[in-house]
Amino acid sequence: MARVYNFSAGPSVLPEAVLQQAAAEMMDYQGSGQSVMEMSHRSKVYDAIIKECEALLRQVMNIPEEYDVLFLQGGASSQFAMVPMNLMTGSGKADFVITGQWATKAQKEAARYGQANIVASSKDKTFSYIPKLDKSSFTPDADYFHICVNNTIYGTLFHELPDTGEVPLVGDISSCILSEPLDVSKFGLLYAGAQKNMAPAGLTVVIVKKSLVGKAMDITPTMFNYQTHTENGSMFNTPPCWCIYIAKLVLEWIRNQMGGLEEMGRYNREKAKILYDYLDESALFKGTVVKEDRSLMNVPFVTGDEEKDAAFVAAAAKAGFVNLKGHRSVGGMRASIYNAMPMEGVKALVDFMKAFEMENK
Ligand SMILES: *Cc1c(COP(=O)(O)O)cnc(C)c1O
């Protein structure tokens, strides 16, 4: 069996130990005689899985008691509407920092339901940096303040969170959830599509302060109201059962194999440093993001020559480094190095890049 090094931005690589355990339990989950895919979500055996998954997420992320954890569907993209429908009901205003396509989509969707102010943007330089924020531009009575914490396409990360005072901070953490410790208490709400760093596609995790739930707009569809799901333990309807099970295995892997989020973060920083250090010294490849805002998870880079970029992507794929083609809006390459990408994978990629550079001087 030959496994490639998969640098896909999402859906993306999962830990091999998790895939193996899922395979081993595929036909008969713990003596139940069924696959987790086949069992009733109301069964005792499944109830233990979803409860354990929530308990693990709370433990690993250190989520305070006053937050609800929801396992939903619809992707992070549904949250672009769900957040305003549930939260934009006081002043009807919210603030947005535009750091890429996902933040833009969140702002555009919110503008359908209220006043979605843009307080800063890095569009002028293809989102290659996190804009400096001026607190005097914030809306004091906003219902929330939205940021995309890690920008998957452009490879930037908010290394420091904005201080929004009393205004609840809302964070899209689709591509950085579980990558390093995060102070949940600084946020009113966090959401993530799980397919980047946590589970297969189909699961959306929402972590919401309980005090923010229960104020949805009247027009809010039942399924889009957080209260529907907080009151039913994410079991109002059929949850994405299989994805939640895999998320549980991933969380066990992070806690038991990787040593928790402090250690995971250390590992990810070391991994990213190997790649960034090489990009900084290479005469052929260079990173596209300003140094202080670099993501630990998504690393875009270019040669400056589209033909060379294409040749590199093709040669890399042949050598077993796949999904390195950059997003069409940035061009070049992007290596997504999520939790499950091992250190050896990044070292092997850098070795391959060095050899490619030697041959293409
Ligand atoms: C992938 C991604 C999304 C979209 O997620 P879906 O689950 O496909 O809707 C939104 N925000 C960020 C930061 C992402 O990386």
Side-chain angles (χ1 to χ4, degrees):
M1 181 195 62
R3 299 246 321 149
V4 292
Y5 285 122
N6 177 9
F7 296 91
S8 170
S12 33
V13 59
L14 284 162
E16 272 189 19
V18 166
L19 296 177
Q20 274 162 359
Q21 189 175 344
E25 294 179 333
M26 180 65 80
M27 301 301 286
D28 177 8
Y29 177 75
Q30 295 189 359
S32 67
Q34 314 151 60
S35 163
V36 176
M37 280 189 218
E38 303 171 296
M39 56 182 59
S40 164
H41 61 294
R42 307 279 178 204
S43 63
K44 243 195 190 143
V45 56
Y46 190 74
D47 194 57
I49 293 173
I50 191 169
K51 290 222 167 84
E52 181 63 16
C53 187
E54 179 178 339
L56 274 162
L57 187 64
R58 284 184 177 279
Q59 181 189 21
V60 168
M61 283 187 75
N62 199 14
I63 300 172
E65 263 305 303
E66 64 266 28
Y67 288 76
D68 277 314
V69 172
L70 301 176
F71 299 123
L72 308 177
Q73 303 190 50
S77 300
S78 289
Q79 295 307 310
F80 299 161
M82 214 163 156
V83 170
M85 284 183 151
N86 283 269
L87 266 51
M88 231 180 185
T89 56
S91 65
K93 296 181 238 172
D95 284 347
F96 291 80
V97 183
I98 303 301
T99 50
Q101 283 194 11
W102 300 120
T104 302
K105 285 187 177 173
Q107 187 271 337
K108 286 215 165 103
E109 192 68 17
R112 304 180 67 212
Y113 302 101
Q115 189 181 314
N117 302 314
I118 296 173
V119 296
S121 167
S122 50
K123 194 175 179 196
D124 59 339
K125 291 183 181 158
T126 325
F127 302 115
S128 57
Y129 68 104
I130 298 289
K132 295 276 173 286
L133 301 179
D134 171 10
K135 261 180 105 168
S136 71
S137 67
F138 297 4
T139 308
D141 63 340
D143 290 324
Y144 65 95
F145 187 108
H146 182 280
I147 59 170
C148 181
V149 179
N150 184 74
N151 294 279
T152 324
I153 295 173
Y154 303 95
T156 59
L157 169 68
F158 276 86
H159 288 275
E160 231 175 277
L161 297 173
D163 176 8
T164 58
E166 294 293 296
V167 175
L169 183 61
V170 172
D172 179 351
I173 52 168
S174 294
S175 51
C176 60
I177 188 169
L178 301 173
S179 63
E180 61 178 336
L182 180 70
D183 186 351
V184 174
S185 72
K186 291 234 163 81
F187 292 86
L189 187 147
L190 289 160
Y191 64 90
Q195 70 274 18
K196 311 280 163 66
N197 205 24
M198 191 177 184
L203 168 64
T204 310
V205 172
V206 173
I207 301 164
V208 58
K209 211 172 200 169
K210 288 180 174 155
S211 58
L212 294 176
V213 177
K215 302 175 194 168
M217 297 176 182
D218 287 340
I219 59 159
T220 307
T222 304
M223 277 296 290
F224 264 37
N225 192 327
Y226 292 127
Q227 195 169 15
T228 303
H229 303 287
T230 59
E231 283 177 350
N232 291 283
S234 301
M235 286 274 207
F236 174 74
N237 69 327
T238 319
C241 301
W242 170 259
C243 297
I244 292 167
Y245 158 68
I246 301 291
K248 176 179 103 78
L249 298 184
V250 167
L251 286 160
E252 283 168 350
W253 174 79
I254 290 173
R255 187 188 64 181
N256 303 339
Q257 307 299 312
M258 302 310 286
L261 284 195
E262 287 285 348
E263 285 305 317
M264 194 74 244
R266 223 188 308 278
Y267 189 77
N268 284 330
R269 275 188 291 278
E270 197 180 326
K271 233 163 60 184
K273 186 173 185 310
I274 292 169
L275 187 47
Y276 284 124
D277 281 353
Y278 169 62
L279 290 173
D280 288 342
E281 71 178 42
S282 169
L284 179 63
F285 299 105
K286 64 172 193 299
T288 57
V289 169
V290 302
K291 275 188 188 173
E292 65 268 25
D293 297 328
R294 285 168 164 176
S295 166
L296 298 180
M297 297 280 100
N298 311 98
V299 184
F301 56 95
V302 295
T303 65
D305 172 341
E306 276 180 34
E307 266 173 39
K308 261 186 195 165
D309 288 348
F312 173 76
V313 170
K318 244 188 187 163
F321 305 95
V322 306
N323 292 317
L324 278 166
K325 192 171 175 351
H327 190 272
R328 60 192 178 280
S329 62
V330 182
M333 284 68 69
R334 170 178 48 171
S336 294
I337 49 174
Y338 295 117
N339 286 353
M341 172 57 63
M343 192 79 71
E344 305 86 77
V346 174
K347 285 184 179 158
L349 174 65
V350 167
D351 287 344
F352 181 79
M353 290 168 76
K354 283 181 180 164
F356 186 89
E357 181 170 354
M358 290 290 281
E359 288 161 20
N360 289 274
K361 273 204 179 143

